[in-house]
Amino acid sequence: MATSQGGNGHRNGTHTHRASLKPHVKSKPVQRRNSTGKDHAAVPGRVRVAVRLRPRNAEESVADADFADCVELQPELKRLKLRKNNWDADTYEFDEVLTEFSSQKRVYEVVARPVVESVLDGYNGTIMAYGQTGTGKTYTLGRLGEEDNAARGIMVRAMEDILANISLETDSISVSYLQLYMETIQDLLDPANDNIAIVEDPKTGDVSLPGASLVDIRDQQSFVELLRLGEAHRFAANTKLNTESSRSHAILMVHVKRSVKGRDAALSSENGNHPHMVKSIKPPLVRKGKLVVVDLAGSERIDKSGSEGHTLEEAKSINLSLSALGKCINALAENSAHVPFRDSKLTRLLRDSFGGTARTSLVITIGPSPRHRGETASTIMFGQRAMKVENMVKLKEEFDYKSLSRRLDIELDKLIVEHERQQKAFEDEVERLATEAQERISDAERNYVDSLEKERSKYQKDYMESIKKLEEQLVMNQRKNEKPHMKSSGEIPRVSLEELADLKKMLQKETHLRKAAEGEVNNLKSQVAELKKSEASGKSEISKLHNMLEDKEQQTKKLEGEIAILQSHLLQLRLEADETRRHYDRGGLEKETGDLNSLPSQVKQQEQQQQQQPQEASGNREKPSIAKLFEQVGLQKILSLLEAEDADVRIHAVKVVANLAAEETNQGKIVEAGGLTSLLNLLKSSQDETIHRVAAGAIANLAMNEANQELIMVQGGISLLSMTAANAEDPQTLRMVAGAIANLCGNDKLQTKLRSEGGIKALLGMVRCRHPDVHAQVARGIANFAKCESRASSQGTKSGRSFLIEDGALPWIVQNANNEASSVRRHIELALCHLAQHEINARDMISEGALWELVRISRDCSREDIKILAHRTLLSSPTFQAEMRRLRVH
């Protein structure tokens, strides 16, 4: 997609037709059956690539002040131009082109939001940043935005969107935060878990990390705290290209589980028999999406970054893993039969992101500096190849058997509780009826006995009274018969007949009374019989209640049997789902296994082509103008003009040499031809301020190479630079001289010689100029010197106080520790931390007031790595701890 275009490049340049962005290979949707038993088509989805340009930093604004940016953006055409020289450029097209003025919100909207929406819909998604170290990858992805809300990165904004679109009652979010350091996967949320194994499914090829911490997220604040904790455990280092260069690949995994509304299965709510309960069970559907955000460590060239020792080993590991990723993307872009995913743990983790089932969005970050044109071109070509990779995006939807099991358990508990409640109510009712019947029987028996006794007593009393009356009447009759003057015999029968009639009446009356008593007795007997019948009826009712209780017990047993059947069916559903998943995943595995064993000759041919590509790229990197200059004039002729008598000729010649020295490929040729010696002679012999400024700038460029640093020292470069600094008044000349000395301060081998020849005092002498750019270079030199001293002290090659303290640099360091210019302040803060790491410097730092600045840095520094370094230094120093206790500083 690159085209050559002549003439000077502008943002509103000549219009060209945009190349087609259609996928490289057209493939039909593949029908696959997931565990739900429904068919979901895998939809083709090309990797989307956006390019973001970082603005010039303070160092580039100074070093590249005389040079134009190596890239030109045309965002309205989604186009980028990479300049070869002032009249020729290559044009590339991307899905999005983001200028240095693009806000973090704009970057999120075009790069990440479509992926986040796909994850919420049940797809896997990947957002990844790739680019040279120091171009803004971590800023784009992992910025927390606590001080400036508008600076929030993709990680924070993505979680805000996810939390805003889910229901915490039915959905869930869990997070893992890892780093890949030196081919070892470490848990950033649990530093003790520093060797996590990758588990790969032998059938499906899916990769998982079961040993990683998985934290549930309920709100945004807890997520930000997790990110802050993870960033504190991530490895970083200070290099020439980036003061806080990430030394590991950071991987954030967000698992989103959402319930599909309106699709939940319902359980039968009948309280009676449940013959069709099993048929009515339908498990709810859930969609599981996984968002992977990858902050790759920056690629770097060792000669530019100045990495050495352990930092060098870290850089090698980073470059090897990025190279393996590039090979995989090349193979996918060219539809190769074999993709070497197993060459690195990074490519194994990203297997689903490139050529898999995830929706992937890649943002490549570049810088504007022409000094790093080669790295910028390599990053752009990586993005161009990634745009050719085609994924088969697939919906992750399945039955939620766990939710179904929980629902069944809840329903079972409800049924058991309801059954126990009904059984208790039934037993209470039976007991109440039995008690009531017993009380009624007792009352009836008691009333019967009382009534019978009363009647018996009454009749007995009446009988006794009647007998008594009859006896009295008999006695009276006998007395009448014994009277002397008895009446005639005709009267006796009459009287006796009357008495007999009375007796007869009384007898009849007694007979009636006796019959009435017998009737009352019979009535009472009938009442007793009715009571006995009522008792029999109560007993039969109790018997019926017992029978109902037995029926309820049988129903309970039947219900328990149905519940057991229900659980067995649930287990059978789980087994069938697992068997279905294994069955439909086996086909893809067999196809993949067949592909892996074919075409070995094509793999070898591809590796040979990849080995030839860097050689071709380096050939194109050299500018035509420089080649023509070498061919037409020759470097020796240009260097000879440095000794010309005409001052104007010397000025033009030294400017040409300075421009040539800005290109790394020309530095070796300049030194071999004696250009370094000529530049140092100009500092010694010339009195022209312009020559001093340009020559010092050329020497500063040459001093970025370690081999050239030793040559500069051998030829007395420090003394000449110190003399130039002492005589100069122009701020730009002082800035160039300070930059050259600052580069020399970063060499561990030259510390003693640099100090003995007055390098430190020369730096301190230049602070007489109030220009902030001069102070920034002085601060950088002091920070480099302090870092080298700290390393030498920890390795045991240096003892005694710091040379910086002995040469009187500490007061100026303390005075500028809180400088308003961030370019000065961050270097001074680093220098203070490095000086404080050596215990022998502690007393001098306390006496000069540096302790208070260290405490401030450990609390208020805007850079997290420097804040942590200051905090650790204060904790590890007994002298600082004792002084802080004395001053009651907590």
Side-chain angles (χ1 to χ4, degrees), residues 32-54:
R32 296 180 182 176
R33 182 178 293 272
N34 63 4
S35 60
T36 66
K38 295 180 178 292
D39 289 332
H40 291 289
V43 182
R46 177 177 58 79
V47 174
R48 291 181 54 81
V49 181
V51 60
R52 186 182 194 186
L53 176 65
R54 170 182 59 76

PDB file of all heavy atoms in Angstrom, residues 32-54:
ATOM      1  N   ARG A  32     -20.553 -23.576  12.681  1.00  0.00           N
ATOM      2  CA  ARG A  32     -20.099 -24.388  13.793  1.00  0.00           C
ATOM      3  C   ARG A  32     -21.197 -24.437  14.839  1.00  0.00           C
ATOM      4  O   ARG A  32     -21.887 -23.452  15.060  1.00  0.00           O
ATOM      5  CB  ARG A  32     -18.825 -23.804  14.430  1.00  0.00           C
ATOM      6  CG  ARG A  32     -17.624 -23.792  13.470  1.00  0.00           C
ATOM      7  CD  ARG A  32     -16.384 -23.219  14.139  1.00  0.00           C
ATOM      8  NE  ARG A  32     -15.257 -23.166  13.215  1.00  0.00           N
ATOM      9  CZ  ARG A  32     -14.081 -22.642  13.512  1.00  0.00           C
ATOM     10  NH1 ARG A  32     -13.864 -22.124  14.692  1.00  0.00           N
ATOM     11  NH2 ARG A  32     -13.113 -22.628  12.623  1.00  0.00           N
ATOM     12  N   ARG A  33     -21.350 -25.558  15.488  1.00  0.00           N
ATOM     13  CA  ARG A  33     -22.387 -25.713  16.520  1.00  0.00           C
ATOM     14  C   ARG A  33     -21.748 -25.539  17.884  1.00  0.00           C
ATOM     15  O   ARG A  33     -20.765 -26.195  18.202  1.00  0.00           O
ATOM     16  CB  ARG A  33     -23.021 -27.098  16.415  1.00  0.00           C
ATOM     17  CG  ARG A  33     -24.147 -27.321  17.434  1.00  0.00           C
ATOM     18  CD  ARG A  33     -24.758 -28.675  17.240  1.00  0.00           C
ATOM     19  NE  ARG A  33     -25.457 -28.768  15.961  1.00  0.00           N
ATOM     20  CZ  ARG A  33     -26.716 -28.446  15.769  1.00  0.00           C
ATOM     21  NH1 ARG A  33     -27.415 -27.982  16.772  1.00  0.00           N
ATOM     22  NH2 ARG A  33     -27.282 -28.572  14.593  1.00  0.00           N
ATOM     23  N   ASN A  34     -22.304 -24.607  18.647  1.00  0.00           N
ATOM     24  CA  ASN A  34     -21.778 -24.395  19.991  1.00  0.00           C
ATOM     25  C   ASN A  34     -22.521 -25.262  20.988  1.00  0.00           C
ATOM     26  O   ASN A  34     -23.387 -26.055  20.637  1.00  0.00           O
ATOM     27  CB  ASN A  34     -21.843 -22.910  20.380  1.00  0.00           C
ATOM     28  CG  ASN A  34     -23.273 -22.412  20.428  1.00  0.00           C
ATOM     29  OD1 ASN A  34     -24.205 -23.183  20.252  1.00  0.00           O
ATOM     30  ND2 ASN A  34     -23.425 -21.131  20.675  1.00  0.00           N
ATOM     31  N   SER A  35     -22.189 -25.083  22.273  1.00  0.00           N
ATOM     32  CA  SER A  35     -22.733 -25.964  23.301  1.00  0.00           C
ATOM     33  C   SER A  35     -24.208 -25.743  23.550  1.00  0.00           C
ATOM     34  O   SER A  35     -24.837 -26.509  24.256  1.00  0.00           O
ATOM     35  CB  SER A  35     -21.958 -25.750  24.615  1.00  0.00           C
ATOM     36  OG  SER A  35     -22.072 -24.410  25.038  1.00  0.00           O
ATOM     37  N   THR A  36     -24.789 -24.708  23.017  1.00  0.00           N
ATOM     38  CA  THR A  36     -26.229 -24.485  23.219  1.00  0.00           C
ATOM     39  C   THR A  36     -27.071 -25.318  22.281  1.00  0.00           C
ATOM     40  O   THR A  36     -28.268 -25.386  22.428  1.00  0.00           O
ATOM     41  CB  THR A  36     -26.569 -23.004  22.978  1.00  0.00           C
ATOM     42  OG1 THR A  36     -26.349 -22.697  21.599  1.00  0.00           O
ATOM     43  CG2 THR A  36     -25.737 -22.083  23.828  1.00  0.00           C
ATOM     44  N   GLY A  37     -26.449 -25.909  21.316  1.00  0.00           N
ATOM     45  CA  GLY A  37     -27.209 -26.657  20.329  1.00  0.00           C
ATOM     46  C   GLY A  37     -27.710 -25.797  19.202  1.00  0.00           C
ATOM     47  O   GLY A  37     -28.447 -26.258  18.352  1.00  0.00           O
ATOM     48  N   LYS A  38     -27.354 -24.492  19.137  1.00  0.00           N
ATOM     49  CA  LYS A  38     -27.783 -23.592  18.070  1.00  0.00           C
ATOM     50  C   LYS A  38     -26.597 -23.326  17.154  1.00  0.00           C
ATOM     51  O   LYS A  38     -25.461 -23.257  17.583  1.00  0.00           O
ATOM     52  CB  LYS A  38     -28.296 -22.269  18.645  1.00  0.00           C
ATOM     53  CG  LYS A  38     -29.558 -22.427  19.495  1.00  0.00           C
ATOM     54  CD  LYS A  38     -29.964 -21.068  20.015  1.00  0.00           C
ATOM     55  CE  LYS A  38     -31.251 -21.177  20.831  1.00  0.00           C
ATOM     56  NZ  LYS A  38     -32.395 -21.523  19.998  1.00  0.00           N
ATOM     57  N   ASP A  39     -26.879 -23.120  15.866  1.00  0.00           N
ATOM     58  CA  ASP A  39     -25.826 -22.844  14.901  1.00  0.00           C
ATOM     59  C   ASP A  39     -25.526 -21.353  14.879  1.00  0.00           C
ATOM     60  O   ASP A  39     -26.420 -20.526  14.763  1.00  0.00           O
ATOM     61  CB  ASP A  39     -26.256 -23.304  13.492  1.00  0.00           C
ATOM     62  CG  ASP A  39     -26.289 -24.827  13.403  1.00  0.00           C
ATOM     63  OD1 ASP A  39     -25.517 -25.449  14.162  1.00  0.00           O
ATOM     64  OD2 ASP A  39     -27.064 -25.361  12.600  1.00  0.00           O
ATOM     65  N   HIS A  40     -24.250 -21.006  14.991  1.00  0.00           N
ATOM     66  CA  HIS A  40     -23.801 -19.618  14.890  1.00  0.00           C
ATOM     67  C   HIS A  40     -22.708 -19.563  13.831  1.00  0.00           C
ATOM     68  O   HIS A  40     -21.755 -20.351  13.858  1.00  0.00           O
ATOM     69  CB  HIS A  40     -23.261 -19.111  16.226  1.00  0.00           C
ATOM     70  CG  HIS A  40     -24.327 -18.959  17.263  1.00  0.00           C
ATOM     71  ND1 HIS A  40     -25.282 -17.969  17.208  1.00  0.00           N
ATOM     72  CD2 HIS A  40     -24.590 -19.685  18.382  1.00  0.00           C
ATOM     73  CE1 HIS A  40     -26.076 -18.083  18.244  1.00  0.00           C
ATOM     74  NE2 HIS A  40     -25.680 -19.116  18.968  1.00  0.00           N
ATOM     75  N   ALA A  41     -22.852 -18.647  12.889  1.00  0.00           N
ATOM     76  CA  ALA A  41     -21.882 -18.533  11.803  1.00  0.00           C
ATOM     77  C   ALA A  41     -20.685 -17.728  12.266  1.00  0.00           C
ATOM     78  O   ALA A  41     -20.811 -16.700  12.908  1.00  0.00           O
ATOM     79  CB  ALA A  41     -22.527 -17.849  10.600  1.00  0.00           C
ATOM     80  N   ALA A  42     -19.466 -18.219  11.944  1.00  0.00           N
ATOM     81  CA  ALA A  42     -18.241 -17.471  12.208  1.00  0.00           C
ATOM     82  C   ALA A  42     -18.066 -16.441  11.092  1.00  0.00           C
ATOM     83  O   ALA A  42     -17.948 -16.790   9.926  1.00  0.00           O
ATOM     84  CB  ALA A  42     -17.044 -18.409  12.270  1.00  0.00           C
ATOM     85  N   VAL A  43     -18.084 -15.155  11.435  1.00  0.00           N
ATOM     86  CA  VAL A  43     -18.079 -14.073  10.452  1.00  0.00           C
ATOM     87  C   VAL A  43     -16.656 -13.577  10.238  1.00  0.00           C
ATOM     88  O   VAL A  43     -15.926 -13.339  11.197  1.00  0.00           O
ATOM     89  CB  VAL A  43     -18.979 -12.909  10.936  1.00  0.00           C
ATOM     90  CG1 VAL A  43     -19.021 -11.799   9.897  1.00  0.00           C
ATOM     91  CG2 VAL A  43     -20.368 -13.419  11.235  1.00  0.00           C
ATOM     92  N   PRO A  44     -16.223 -13.384   8.971  1.00  0.00           N
ATOM     93  CA  PRO A  44     -14.868 -12.860   8.737  1.00  0.00           C
ATOM     94  C   PRO A  44     -14.741 -11.446   9.295  1.00  0.00           C
ATOM     95  O   PRO A  44     -15.655 -10.629   9.168  1.00  0.00           O
ATOM     96  CB  PRO A  44     -14.739 -12.874   7.212  1.00  0.00           C
ATOM     97  CG  PRO A  44     -15.798 -13.805   6.722  1.00  0.00           C
ATOM     98  CD  PRO A  44     -16.915 -13.731   7.715  1.00  0.00           C
ATOM     99  N   GLY A  45     -13.618 -11.178   9.922  1.00  0.00           N
ATOM    100  CA  GLY A  45     -13.360  -9.842  10.463  1.00  0.00           C
ATOM    101  C   GLY A  45     -11.885  -9.510  10.393  1.00  0.00           C
ATOM    102  O   GLY A  45     -11.081 -10.131  11.097  1.00  0.00           O
ATOM    103  N   ARG A  46     -11.522  -8.538   9.540  1.00  0.00           N
ATOM    104  CA  ARG A  46     -10.100  -8.183   9.380  1.00  0.00           C
ATOM    105  C   ARG A  46      -9.609  -7.408  10.597  1.00  0.00           C
ATOM    106  O   ARG A  46     -10.360  -6.686  11.246  1.00  0.00           O
ATOM    107  CB  ARG A  46      -9.934  -7.343   8.116  1.00  0.00           C
ATOM    108  CG  ARG A  46      -8.503  -6.860   7.895  1.00  0.00           C
ATOM    109  CD  ARG A  46      -8.384  -6.095   6.581  1.00  0.00           C
ATOM    110  NE  ARG A  46      -9.273  -4.946   6.514  1.00  0.00           N
ATOM    111  CZ  ARG A  46      -9.018  -3.787   7.104  1.00  0.00           C
ATOM    112  NH1 ARG A  46      -7.929  -3.637   7.846  1.00  0.00           N
ATOM    113  NH2 ARG A  46      -9.853  -2.773   6.967  1.00  0.00           N
ATOM    114  N   VAL A  47      -8.335  -7.578  10.906  1.00  0.00           N
ATOM    115  CA  VAL A  47      -7.705  -6.804  11.968  1.00  0.00           C
ATOM    116  C   VAL A  47      -7.686  -5.334  11.554  1.00  0.00           C
ATOM    117  O   VAL A  47      -7.183  -4.983  10.487  1.00  0.00           O
ATOM    118  CB  VAL A  47      -6.273  -7.307  12.239  1.00  0.00           C
ATOM    119  CG1 VAL A  47      -5.579  -6.406  13.251  1.00  0.00           C
ATOM    120  CG2 VAL A  47      -6.303  -8.739  12.732  1.00  0.00           C
ATOM    121  N   ARG A  48      -8.250  -4.458  12.389  1.00  0.00           N
ATOM    122  CA  ARG A  48      -8.262  -3.021  12.122  1.00  0.00           C
ATOM    123  C   ARG A  48      -7.033  -2.379  12.751  1.00  0.00           C
ATOM    124  O   ARG A  48      -6.677  -2.679  13.887  1.00  0.00           O
ATOM    125  CB  ARG A  48      -9.537  -2.376  12.685  1.00  0.00           C
ATOM    126  CG  ARG A  48     -10.797  -2.800  11.939  1.00  0.00           C
ATOM    127  CD  ARG A  48     -12.026  -2.112  12.529  1.00  0.00           C
ATOM    128  NE  ARG A  48     -11.900  -0.666  12.587  1.00  0.00           N
ATOM    129  CZ  ARG A  48     -12.108   0.150  11.546  1.00  0.00           C
ATOM    130  NH1 ARG A  48     -12.466  -0.352  10.381  1.00  0.00           N
ATOM    131  NH2 ARG A  48     -11.971   1.463  11.670  1.00  0.00           N
ATOM    132  N   VAL A  49      -6.386  -1.491  11.992  1.00  0.00           N
ATOM    133  CA  VAL A  49      -5.120  -0.892  12.424  1.00  0.00           C
ATOM    134  C   VAL A  49      -5.254   0.633  12.357  1.00  0.00           C
ATOM    135  O   VAL A  49      -5.683   1.192  11.348  1.00  0.00           O
ATOM    136  CB  VAL A  49      -3.938  -1.354  11.552  1.00  0.00           C
ATOM    137  CG1 VAL A  49      -2.634  -0.716  12.045  1.00  0.00           C
ATOM    138  CG2 VAL A  49      -3.828  -2.873  11.581  1.00  0.00           C
ATOM    139  N   ALA A  50      -4.887   1.288  13.468  1.00  0.00           N
ATOM    140  CA  ALA A  50      -4.837   2.752  13.532  1.00  0.00           C
ATOM    141  C   ALA A  50      -3.413   3.171  13.865  1.00  0.00           C
ATOM    142  O   ALA A  50      -2.705   2.460  14.590  1.00  0.00           O
ATOM    143  CB  ALA A  50      -5.799   3.296  14.583  1.00  0.00           C
ATOM    144  N   VAL A  51      -2.973   4.305  13.340  1.00  0.00           N
ATOM    145  CA  VAL A  51      -1.640   4.826  13.624  1.00  0.00           C
ATOM    146  C   VAL A  51      -1.794   6.127  14.403  1.00  0.00           C
ATOM    147  O   VAL A  51      -2.648   6.957  14.096  1.00  0.00           O
ATOM    148  CB  VAL A  51      -0.830   5.034  12.323  1.00  0.00           C
ATOM    149  CG1 VAL A  51      -1.517   6.006  11.388  1.00  0.00           C
ATOM    150  CG2 VAL A  51       0.584   5.530  12.638  1.00  0.00           C
ATOM    151  N   ARG A  52      -0.963   6.281  15.465  1.00  0.00           N
ATOM    152  CA  ARG A  52      -1.016   7.493  16.296  1.00  0.00           C
ATOM    153  C   ARG A  52       0.386   8.104  16.372  1.00  0.00           C
ATOM    154  O   ARG A  52       1.357   7.403  16.673  1.00  0.00           O
ATOM    155  CB  ARG A  52      -1.505   7.162  17.701  1.00  0.00           C
ATOM    156  CG  ARG A  52      -1.709   8.422  18.546  1.00  0.00           C
ATOM    157  CD  ARG A  52      -2.159   8.104  19.953  1.00  0.00           C
ATOM    158  NE  ARG A  52      -2.648   9.298  20.610  1.00  0.00           N
ATOM    159  CZ  ARG A  52      -3.005   9.369  21.884  1.00  0.00           C
ATOM    160  NH1 ARG A  52      -2.910   8.301  22.653  1.00  0.00           N
ATOM    161  NH2 ARG A  52      -3.442  10.502  22.409  1.00  0.00           N
ATOM    162  N   LEU A  53       0.462   9.400  16.113  1.00  0.00           N
ATOM    163  CA  LEU A  53       1.738  10.124  16.135  1.00  0.00           C
ATOM    164  C   LEU A  53       1.902  10.819  17.480  1.00  0.00           C
ATOM    165  O   LEU A  53       1.009  11.528  17.936  1.00  0.00           O
ATOM    166  CB  LEU A  53       1.777  11.159  15.002  1.00  0.00           C
ATOM    167  CG  LEU A  53       3.020  12.060  14.954  1.00  0.00           C
ATOM    168  CD1 LEU A  53       4.266  11.234  14.650  1.00  0.00           C
ATOM    169  CD2 LEU A  53       2.851  13.151  13.903  1.00  0.00           C
ATOM    170  N   ARG A  54       3.069  10.586  18.120  1.00  0.00           N
ATOM    171  CA  ARG A  54       3.390  11.274  19.359  1.00  0.00           C
ATOM    172  C   ARG A  54       4.002  12.637  19.040  1.00  0.00           C
ATOM    173  O   ARG A  54       4.813  12.761  18.118  1.00  0.00           O
ATOM    174  CB  ARG A  54       4.396  10.446  20.168  1.00  0.00           C
ATOM    175  CG  ARG A  54       4.959  11.203  21.366  1.00  0.00           C
ATOM    176  CD  ARG A  54       5.995  10.389  22.133  1.00  0.00           C
ATOM    177  NE  ARG A  54       7.134   9.985  21.343  1.00  0.00           N
ATOM    178  CZ  ARG A  54       8.137  10.776  20.969  1.00  0.00           C
ATOM    179  NH1 ARG A  54       8.139  12.062  21.289  1.00  0.00           N
ATOM    180  NH2 ARG A  54       9.152  10.292  20.265  1.00  0.00           N
TER     181      ARG A  54
END
